Amino acid sequence: MIYFDNAATTKPDGECLKRAEKYLYNDFYNPSALYVEGYNINLELREARKNILSDIADSEKFELVFTSCGTEADNMAVLGGGRRGNVVTTAGEHSAVFSAVNELKQRGLEVRLANLNPDGSVNLEHLLSLVDGKTSLVSVIHVNNETGAVNDIVNISAAVKAKNAYALFHSDGVQAFGKIPFKLTGNIDMYSVSAHKIGGIKGCGALIKRKNLVIKPQIFGGGQEKGLRSGTENVFGIKIFEYAAAKKCAAINENYVKASKIKSAFLGGLDSGLFTVISGENSSPYIVCLAADGVRGETVLHEANDAGLIIGTGSACSSNEKKRFSRTILACGIDENLADGVLRISFSPENSVEEAESAAKLLNKIVSNRKRIMA
């Protein structure tokens, strides 16, 4: 089997699982408990928080709030940061942000959507035209989860602050953290990350936020995470997240090169007469978005699956919306006929060039045969 749907989820890292096993079986105590064992687990959480934060930000300027997933982190940022006036985001955001801004709209805030470029990156000129003195929040995805387009959030956030210094800037960094070499700058107020995209397990994520930034919590209870996210912490998941993040970030440049070679081999093996590549040159080496003209992507997915290749047709988190066409792909200017054939191929450093070559050959065969049957 070849697994090329790593943007949906990655295989948990066995070494990290083994290291964290003791927090499941032995050191299972509640970190809020007053006895020594509980206090020691609380210290372990502090260590995990410090180590994950150090992978991407200056701990003097930023702090980290553990959540149950990247979606919760996005919701915390959007619902906690968009408090008045208008909120600006892009037409290509992950459903966690897109649905959250729609909730703000129901609460009376104005929501403004910036157009996309053909590769899925945000049209910066249009985005900035939407920002004014009443903008309370701007959210721009770092790496588009469907096309892999990389938004330069360092420069984008600086441009937003130049127009409105009081607007908060958030970015969904779920497809970037541990994969794209990057450090948070002072113009970025909030940044969402997820464990299971980098070899951790599902059920763990985090919102990294600027220190002293006051946002309203969305979950209330025992006051964990400094009152920002109540609920007993998932210590096992958090420790795996810590170990997986350290491992991925230590090898981030090496893995970037490896993923680039895998992506290049895959694209080099595709029949350009059968597929249209939507991902542009400035895209993550971990994601390829393409479309089979005239053949449904879902049909290709199932035939590939039967042949031992696992791929996606877009964001797995949007599959429950029951919409035939991806709003992100349509926002790129892709017509419905082509949008119907969209596939997302996403890689991991654990994949190989040989797998990429085999996958390209198989997809060529599937689409070619399907077109012959339909002719």
Side-chain angles (χ1 to χ4, degrees):
M1 182 189 76
I2 299 174
Y3 181 70
F4 273 173
D5 197 25
N6 290 280
T9 194
T10 57
K11 182 179 179 180
D13 185 287
E15 180 185 5
C16 298
L17 284 170
K18 191 67 177 177
R19 286 184 65 189
E21 198 174 65
K22 66 176 184 175
Y23 300 101
L24 191 61
Y25 295 114
N26 299 317
D27 296 337
F28 54 83
Y29 309 101
N30 191 319
S32 296
L34 297 179
Y35 40 78
V36 172
E37 291 81 359
Y39 178 73
N40 287 338
I41 294 301
N42 186 279
L43 293 180
E44 291 285 355
L45 285 184
R46 294 185 195 178
E47 184 72 8
R49 195 187 317 277
K50 180 187 73 173
N51 289 338
I52 296 172
L53 188 60
S54 69
D55 291 326
I56 193 171
D58 182 349
S59 60
E60 294 296 317
K61 299 177 181 178
F62 291 90
E63 59 186 356
L64 183 148
V65 181
F66 285 117
T67 64
S68 65
C69 56
T71 291
E72 186 188 339
D74 281 342
N75 273 246
M76 181 184 290
V78 173
L79 300 179
R83 293 172 289 187
R84 64 187 185 281
N86 64 74
V87 170
V88 178
T89 188
T90 83
E93 293 299 304
H94 187 278
S95 58
V97 169
F98 202 79
S99 296
V101 297
N102 281 334
E103 172 61 24
L104 289 179
K105 188 176 182 179
Q106 297 299 316
R107 298 180 185 183
L109 275 72
E110 181 187 359
V111 174
R112 301 174 177 179
L113 297 180
N115 296 334
L116 300 184
N117 297 317
D119 67 347
S121 61
V122 65
N123 184 307
L124 180 56
E125 183 178 357
H126 188 229
L127 177 84
L128 293 177
S129 73
L130 301 177
V131 177
D132 59 25
K134 294 183 178 180
T135 302
S136 59
L137 175 73
V138 176
S139 185
V140 176
I141 196 167
H142 192 174
V143 171
N144 188 285
N145 58 299
E146 293 191 51
T147 72
V150 180
N151 286 306
D152 183 358
I153 61 172
V154 170
N155 287 328
I156 293 173
S157 61
V160 166
K161 295 287 187 175
K163 286 206 70 176
N164 181 347
Y166 298 101
L168 297 180
F169 188 90
H170 164 256
S171 183
D172 178 331
V174 167
Q175 296 293 349
F177 180 62
K179 299 177 181 180
I180 307 293
F182 174 77
K183 292 288 185 180
L184 292 179
T185 61
N187 289 316
I188 300 169
D189 300 290
M190 296 177 283
Y191 193 79
S192 305
V193 296
S194 176
H196 75 102
K197 307 293 188 178
I198 58 167
I201 62 171
K202 302 166 191 67
C204 186
L207 178 67
I208 300 169
K209 70 178 212 47
R210 180 169 48 80
K211 275 188 175 180
N212 302 320
L213 171 63
V214 177
I215 59 172
K216 187 177 180 180
Q218 303 304 310
I219 297 178
F220 300 89
Q224 289 88 348
E225 298 299 298
K226 295 183 178 179
L228 287 174
R229 202 282 179 186
S230 291
T232 304
E233 296 90 344
N234 175 9
V235 181
F236 175 62
I238 287 170
K239 295 303 286 187
I240 297 172
F241 190 12
E242 174 192 359
Y243 302 148
K247 192 171 181 178
K248 282 291 188 289
C249 290
I252 196 165
N253 292 312
E254 176 187 343
N255 288 340
Y256 190 95
V257 171
K258 185 174 183 181
S260 297
K261 291 179 179 177
I262 294 169
K263 180 177 180 177
S264 180
F266 175 76
L267 290 173
L270 280 180
D271 185 337
S272 60
L274 298 174
F275 296 96
T276 296
V277 178
I278 298 170
S279 298
E281 290 186 8
N282 184 33
S283 61
S284 167
Y286 292 89
I287 297 175
V288 171
C289 181
L290 50 88
D293 193 4
V295 181
R296 290 202 68 186
E298 189 174 343
T299 299
V300 178
L301 178 150
H302 289 305
E303 289 196 30
N305 197 186
D306 290 341
L309 171 64
I310 297 178
I311 56 176
T313 55
S315 173
C317 291
S318 298
S319 63
N320 294 322
E321 294 178 2
K322 305 301 181 185
K323 294 179 180 178
R324 181 162 179 174
F325 306 113
S326 160
R327 59 174 167 76
T328 295
I329 297 303
L330 294 179
C332 292
I334 305 299
D335 64 51
E336 290 188 354
N337 183 60
L338 198 58
D340 204 25
V342 163
L343 300 167
R344 183 183 67 177
I345 320 296
S346 47
F347 313 111
S348 160
E350 283 68 51
N351 289 131
S352 68
V353 166
E354 291 73 25
E355 287 179 321
E357 292 171 342
S358 296
K361 288 180 182 178
L362 177 59
L363 291 177
N364 288 340
K365 180 180 178 181
I366 290 171
V367 174
S368 178
N369 289 342
R370 181 56 56 178
K371 278 182 169 288
R372 187 161 50 248
I373 292 171
M374 295 166 60

